[in-house]
Amino acid sequence: MMAPMSRTRFADMNCGIAQALEVLGDWWTLLVVRDAFFGARRFGDFEKSLGIAKNVLSARLAHLVEHGIFAKVDVGADGERFEYRLTEKGEALLPVLTTLREWSDDWVFGRGNEPVIVKDRRTGRRLAKLQVTDADGRPLTRRDLRTEAGPGASAATRRLLTPRPR
Amino acid sequence: MMAPMSRTRFADMNCGIAQALEVLGDWWTLLVVRDAFFGARRFGDFEKSLGIAKNVLSARLAHLVEHGIFAKVDVGADGERFEYRLTEKGEALLPVLTTLREWSDDWVFGRGNEPVIVKDRRTGRRLAKLQVTDADGRPLTRRDLRTEAGPGASAATRRLLTPRPR
DNA sequence: CAGTATCCTCGCAGATACTG
DNA sequence: CAGTATCTGCGAGGATACTG
């Protein structure tokens, strides 16, 4: 009986998508990057906005630095203070986040307050109706759940990463 | 002493990106979707091309069906045969995969055979040099690792999901 | 404030045997 | 061929105490 193997690594698959996922696929990773686009720089920024455990955040940041997505920059005028800043490689992830948000806008929430109808592409048959509601069952619109872009984000970035006005 | 909590769920975060990751964030999920774009339809198609365990694949497919990304279509002319087909919602994920692939092309591999230089965005300082090599240390180009698009993929899809010719 | 060090626990995933 | 059932285990991630 063979021992169960550890998780398969995608790094040696012959596919750019798999490669990207190997770097970005962890649960928190893309959210950390998102927060960076929203202006988070310091350890505490990420910690507060994500509500992530310190050790996990530490590991994620190290991982992202290791892969050249963040630069750990010494800004220690007074002592040892660091900031995590997006590199060019990191900033190149903006389109990935943008398309994720767009997909979510269109398909996880409705664009306005109408539910999302999931259809089979060929037959056109309705497969599911998706509607996000509040605790009382009243439908929520995408605007009710607006992402808050931090003060550090540029106007252009904020526009890209916040939900489209219907 | 409090018991450690289970993994944080992103579903109730006020952010479309988090919502999308809640659906797509599992390790295999986007690769399964990718294979669907490449023409995979049957259980065995995914199993073979991904080398994924049966039960895991089963769970992933069920998850994707549940979220309306795949439709489980009965094509049982002879008996009980099913196919998993992308719905409209599923097909809308193509831009997500495309931007992931583009990012990988540009930043994980070099575009051609030149290594990727990771720079700090502001200072311009070089942080890392990335180069994919074979077992003997010889640099590989992105073309050496070409993704194979299956026969089921349309020409347009294949073009979008395969590496750019340098 | 910015982490590091521990401990703990479930969730994901691998292997495999089994069913129609 | 298309799964389901079961067992197993790594490891990501949560909580918390501690350090400069």
Side-chain angles (χ1 to χ4, degrees):
Chain A
M1 190 183 320
M2 225 162 109
M5 266 180 46
S6 175
R7 211 201 69 219
T8 302
R9 296 286 158 180
F10 298 152
D12 40 357
M13 288 191 183
N14 296 348
C15 170
I17 295 168
Q19 300 281 343
L21 290 178
E22 184 62 34
V23 180
L24 306 171
D26 263 323
W27 278 101
W28 286 106
T29 308
L30 278 177
L31 289 185
V32 172
V33 174
R34 180 204 60 177
D35 271 22
F37 277 110
F38 281 166
R41 296 263 178 276
R42 307 258 295 279
F43 190 91
D45 295 339
F46 295 102
E47 194 184 5
K48 251 192 311 182
S49 66
L50 289 173
I52 187 177
K54 282 165 173 287
N55 54 348
V56 177
L57 176 56
S58 180
R60 285 294 138 256
L61 287 173
H63 176 83
L64 287 165
V65 168
E66 185 190 345
H67 283 87
I69 291 166
F70 280 159
K72 186 170 185 176
V73 181
D74 194 338
V75 292
D78 51 350
E80 54 290 274
R81 298 211 161 265
F82 296 99
E83 287 188 355
Y84 298 89
R85 296 204 193 133
L86 288 166
T87 62
E88 247 191 295
K89 181 178 180 181
E91 299 219 321
L93 283 170
L94 186 56
V96 174
L97 291 176
T98 303
T99 51
L100 270 176
R101 183 196 52 70
E102 286 174 352
W103 180 80
S104 171
D105 277 1
D106 291 345
W107 293 102
V108 180
F109 304 97
R111 288 212 190 190
N113 54 8
E114 75 280 14
V116 172
I117 305 292
V118 179
K119 291 182 291 189
D120 184 282
R121 183 175 60 107
R122 327 190 121 72
T123 68
R125 194 166 61 89
R126 294 176 174 210
L127 297 165
K129 185 174 108 173
L130 305 171
Q131 175 81 65
V132 181
T133 63
D134 65 14
D136 300 326
R138 289 175 316 162
L140 289 177
T141 72
R142 186 67 192 80
R143 268 185 307 212
D144 293 327
L145 300 170
R146 182 171 294 280
T147 301
E148 282 157 41
S154 77
T157 301
R158 189 179 296 116
R159 196 158 45 243
L160 282 171
L161 289 182
T162 43
R164 307 173 189 149
R166 175 252 162 56
Chain B
M1 185 184 322
M2 224 161 111
M5 266 181 43
S6 175
R7 210 200 70 220
T8 302
R9 295 286 159 180
F10 299 151
D12 40 356
M13 289 190 181
N14 297 348
C15 170
I17 295 168
Q19 300 281 343
L21 291 178
E22 184 62 35
V23 180
L24 306 171
D26 261 325
W27 275 101
W28 285 106
T29 308
L30 278 177
L31 289 185
V32 173
V33 173
R34 178 204 61 178
D35 272 23
F37 277 110
F38 281 166
R41 295 264 177 276
R42 307 259 294 282
F43 190 91
D45 295 339
F46 295 101
E47 193 184 5
K48 252 192 311 181
S49 67
L50 290 173
I52 187 177
K54 282 165 174 287
N55 53 350
V56 177
L57 176 58
S58 180
R60 287 291 136 258
L61 288 173
H63 177 84
L64 288 165
V65 168
E66 184 190 347
H67 283 86
I69 290 166
F70 280 159
K72 186 169 185 176
V73 180
D74 193 338
V75 293
D78 51 350
E80 54 290 274
R81 296 211 163 266
F82 295 99
E83 286 188 358
Y84 297 88
R85 297 206 191 131
L86 288 167
T87 62
E88 249 192 294
K89 180 179 181 181
E91 299 218 322
L93 283 170
L94 186 57
V96 173
L97 291 176
T98 304
T99 51
L100 271 176
R101 183 197 52 70
E102 286 174 352
W103 180 78
S104 171
D105 278 0
D106 291 345
W107 291 102
V108 180
F109 305 96
R111 287 212 190 190
N113 55 7
E114 76 281 13
V116 172
I117 305 292
V118 178
K119 291 181 292 190
D120 183 283
R121 184 175 60 107
R122 329 190 120 72
T123 68
R125 194 166 61 89
R126 294 179 174 210
L127 297 165
K129 184 173 110 172
L130 305 171
Q131 175 81 63
V132 181
T133 64
D134 64 14
D136 300 326
R138 288 175 316 164
L140 289 177
T141 73
R142 185 67 192 79
R143 269 186 307 215
D144 293 328
L145 301 170
R146 181 172 294 279
T147 301
E148 283 158 38
S154 77
T157 301
R158 187 179 297 115
R159 194 157 47 243
L160 281 171
L161 291 182
T162 43
R164 308 174 189 146
R166 170 270 155 58

